[in-house]
Amino acid sequence: MERMKKTGAVIAAAGLSSRMGAFKPLLPLGDTTIIGQGIRTLRQAGVLPIVAVTGRESQRLTAYLEELGVICVYNSRYETTDMFASLCLGMRRLKGEADRFFFLPGDIPLFRRETLLALQQAMDQTGCDLVQPVWDGRGGHPVLIRSDQIPALLDWQGEGGLRGAMEDIIIKKKQLPVQDPGIRLDADTREDYKRLLRLAEESAGGNTGTR
């Protein structure tokens, strides 16, 4: 009988939140927070372990995340590095602990559990190294990556972050259309945040809340 694959996650939460003007991960969303909602949905899909890479307000965020059972890694260069650098830190911590992992920014909270399950199923069926969800013709997050790609990703020195690495070194990849606008909804600005609040309120009583 084939062993069930273990799926982890890396969340990039080291950004400056400069356009928002407030610390995005801990902004309220429904009965939880922006990052808390994403963690809940990951857990509902059986994702474990979850690694979060922190930067700005690391002590405060780490205290919150550790109560949720999340492993935290600090990006000491968060002010001068991009999200791919955080991904690399998270992959180093996750290496050897999961067969594959979801990668997502900490400000994309409203993706669906069904999307996570569909991405895993697509990887199982196709044997692809990376599967990205697509809604309305555009790719989003979380992206599912096989852990045997970690060494090549860590060694990559090109430009364009994860997108550049996907194009340069990951050969077998798939884009999976999903009925999930949440894969494209982040919280870069105040207007983005207001939209997330409206959508979370509309789905209250469904898939909302961690603490």
Side-chain angles (χ1 to χ4, degrees):
M1 185 174 179
E2 187 179 358
R3 179 180 66 87
M4 183 175 292
K5 293 182 176 64
K6 188 173 184 181
T7 305
V10 174
I11 302 175
L16 294 170
S17 302
S18 54
R19 282 189 285 173
M20 174 63 72
F23 187 53
K24 291 190 292 186
L26 296 183
L27 286 173
L29 186 67
D31 62 355
T32 181
T33 63
I34 286 179
I35 198 168
Q37 175 59 40
I39 290 166
R40 160 172 273 191
T41 306
L42 289 167
R43 289 199 180 283
Q44 287 177 337
V47 175
L48 194 73
I50 299 172
V51 176
V53 182
T54 66
R56 177 185 168 187
E57 300 196 32
S58 177
Q59 187 171 0
R60 177 184 169 208
L61 182 56
T62 296
Y64 174 83
L65 292 174
E66 287 182 345
E67 285 191 20
L68 301 180
V70 174
I71 301 165
C72 294
V73 177
Y74 177 56
N75 180 359
S76 61
R77 300 174 59 211
Y78 71 93
E79 292 184 276
T80 57
T81 55
D82 61 12
M83 191 163 55
F84 187 73
S86 289
L87 169 59
C88 289
L89 288 171
M91 289 191 298
R92 288 189 179 96
R93 178 61 181 83
L94 189 69
K95 190 177 179 181
E97 296 194 27
D99 300 291
R100 56 198 181 185
F101 64 96
F102 289 106
F103 173 65
L104 65 152
D107 66 344
I108 295 185
L110 295 183
F111 55 88
R112 298 172 180 166
R113 171 180 176 271
E114 291 77 13
T115 295
L116 303 181
L117 299 178
L119 291 168
Q120 292 177 86
Q121 183 179 42
M123 182 170 280
D124 290 338
Q125 292 176 344
T126 64
C128 285
D129 299 317
L130 181 149
V131 185
Q132 181 180 31
V134 174
W135 181 76
D136 196 25
R138 301 178 68 190
H141 287 89
V143 175
L144 183 62
I145 305 170
R146 282 169 50 112
S147 293
D148 58 11
Q149 298 296 303
I150 288 178
L153 288 168
L154 291 176
D155 288 342
W156 188 69
Q157 300 294 322
E159 297 180 354
L162 177 59
R163 180 177 297 178
M166 285 167 56
E167 293 173 353
D168 279 2
I169 65 174
I170 297 180
I171 298 172
K172 296 173 64 178
K173 48 186 177 282
K174 177 179 178 62
Q175 288 194 314
L176 181 70
V178 296
Q179 296 300 313
D180 184 359
I183 69 165
R184 296 281 313 167
L185 300 178
D186 60 15
D188 276 347
T189 67
R190 282 285 175 182
E191 287 304 312
D192 293 336
Y193 178 46
K194 290 176 182 177
R195 180 175 55 177
L196 290 177
L197 289 173
R198 287 195 300 270
L199 292 172
E201 184 177 352
E202 290 171 6
S203 61
N207 181 28
T208 308
T210 295
R211 50 161 260 192

